Amino acid sequence: MKTRVKLLAGNWKMYKTHADALAFAAELAATTLPRDDAAVEAVICAPATALFGLADAFAPLHVGVGAQHMHEAQEGAFTGEVSASMLLALGCRYVILGHSERRAHFAESDANVAKKTVVALDRGLIPIVCVGETLEQREGGQTATVIRSQVGAVLAALREREAQSDQNPPATGALPLASLVVAYEPVWAIGTGRSSSAQDAQEVILLIRELIRAALGAEIAQQARILYGGSVKPDNIATYLKQPDIDGALVGGASLKPESFVELWRQSAL
Ligand code: 13P
């Protein structure tokens, strides 16, 4: 029996202006929504330029807001970057870290992602840490190895955070380790229409849960949420959510249209 609250997270990527985002919120407001917070939490991770005012527009609809990326420093000479405190000031609750598009196009490394995960939790943002293998890696039988190294880097940094918590007590607003969200997104399934089978996704996600258990203990492994992402649509989301270890979905293309997002939400709340 799953006790974790399901998480439906839309990743809008580099789509939608600020006005488009507010129009999306207005369309949702005119729709009957599931809004059963105990069953499923709905979140939209919008481009940074669309975040202003979005949390306020979404709050009455029970849709949370997240960012797609952040820099680990509090502030500084990092042209073009955005910090955790800037995102928090706009009402963000989540931040996607280490999306495969950022790893591929912006050279985000496992070490970067690990550092940002710790910073996000310390500052009070829930990290959605993305991991996943390429097609070449899958076909070469490397999936488990890739997942172990991507997840392992994050878990090692979180263990260190725990170990140092005596000398460095968490600041007010810091989140516990159990807030961690991991999204398994096989790269070959992203935006291709070629989704992973629910069984294959469950198998990798179970491995991720086992890695969390080994590093951070059974209680945190039981509470941390692990999502599947990659060509999730209203007509296949339910098959993933039926799996014992899959706690939700990170959805790109199918989160862009209000009616499709609402249908994903309905399917998640069943
Ligand atoms: P699609 O749902 O468009 O395949 O994108 C998945 C994704 O990258 C979500 O982060």
Side-chain angles (χ1 to χ4, degrees):
M1 207 6 223
K2 278 192 249 184
T3 50
R4 301 173 288 270
V5 176
K6 284 176 274 184
L7 178 60
L8 169 65
N11 173 10
W12 280 353
K13 307 192 177 183
M14 200 173 72
Y15 293 97
K16 294 193 191 293
T17 63
H18 183 243
D20 294 338
L22 293 178
F24 181 101
E27 270 201 61
L28 281 198
T31 314
T32 311
L33 301 171
R35 292 190 198 180
D36 180 358
D37 299 346
V40 48
E41 206 181 333
V43 174
I44 291 286
C45 298
T49 53
L51 290 172
F52 183 77
L54 200 57
D56 285 344
F58 277 156
L61 314 175
H62 297 214
V63 176
V65 170
Q68 301 172 6
H69 160 68
M70 96 187 181
H71 193 277
E72 64 272 22
Q74 189 128 20
E75 58 184 11
F78 300 106
T79 302
E81 290 290 314
V82 174
S83 72
S85 48
M86 293 170 183
L87 298 175
L88 285 162
L90 290 179
C92 286
R93 184 153 167 68
Y94 286 85
V95 62
I96 296 174
L97 296 175
H99 191 281
S100 60
E101 289 151 13
R102 294 213 58 92
R103 292 178 191 258
H105 306 305
F106 305 100
E108 288 216 350
S109 64
D110 285 348
N112 278 156
V113 176
K115 194 190 263 183
K116 289 177 185 195
T117 305
V118 171
V119 170
L121 287 172
D122 282 347
R123 303 268 161 75
L125 280 171
I126 299 174
I128 303 178
V129 179
C130 300
V131 297
E133 80 287 2
T134 62
L135 185 59
E136 201 181 8
Q137 289 165 333
R138 166 148 295 244
E139 288 176 344
Q142 293 297 303
T143 302
T145 311
V146 171
I147 296 299
R148 277 177 202 283
S149 104
Q150 292 178 338
V151 175
V154 170
L155 293 176
L158 293 177
R159 273 175 70 108
E160 199 169 318
R161 177 192 196 243
E162 276 306 270
Q164 289 177 353
S165 60
D166 288 346
Q167 295 101 311
N168 277 331
T172 346
L175 297 173
L177 289 182
S179 315
L180 176 71
V181 178
V182 179
Y184 168 55
E185 298 205 307
V187 177
W188 48 270
I190 294 177
T192 57
R194 182 182 166 193
S195 52
S196 164
S197 76
Q199 290 72 19
D200 285 353
Q202 160 64 25
E203 200 177 300
V204 176
I205 285 175
L206 179 60
L207 166 65
I208 295 171
R209 202 174 296 286
E210 292 302 331
L211 294 170
I212 298 175
R213 191 186 317 276
L216 305 175
E219 201 178 320
I220 288 163
Q222 172 58 29
Q223 291 168 0
R225 289 178 292 179
I226 312 180
L227 317 181
Y228 168 74
S231 297
V232 173
K233 307 279 179 244
D235 65 4
N236 66 11
I237 191 168
T239 64
Y240 296 106
L241 295 182
K242 276 197 209 112
Q243 301 296 318
D245 287 283
I246 304 185
D247 303 316
L250 182 57
V251 186
S255 71
L256 289 168
K257 292 214 166 79
E259 60 278 15
S260 167
F261 183 70
V262 170
E263 195 46 38
L264 288 163
W265 194 353
R266 277 202 198 104
Q267 292 293 326
S268 306
L270 292 179

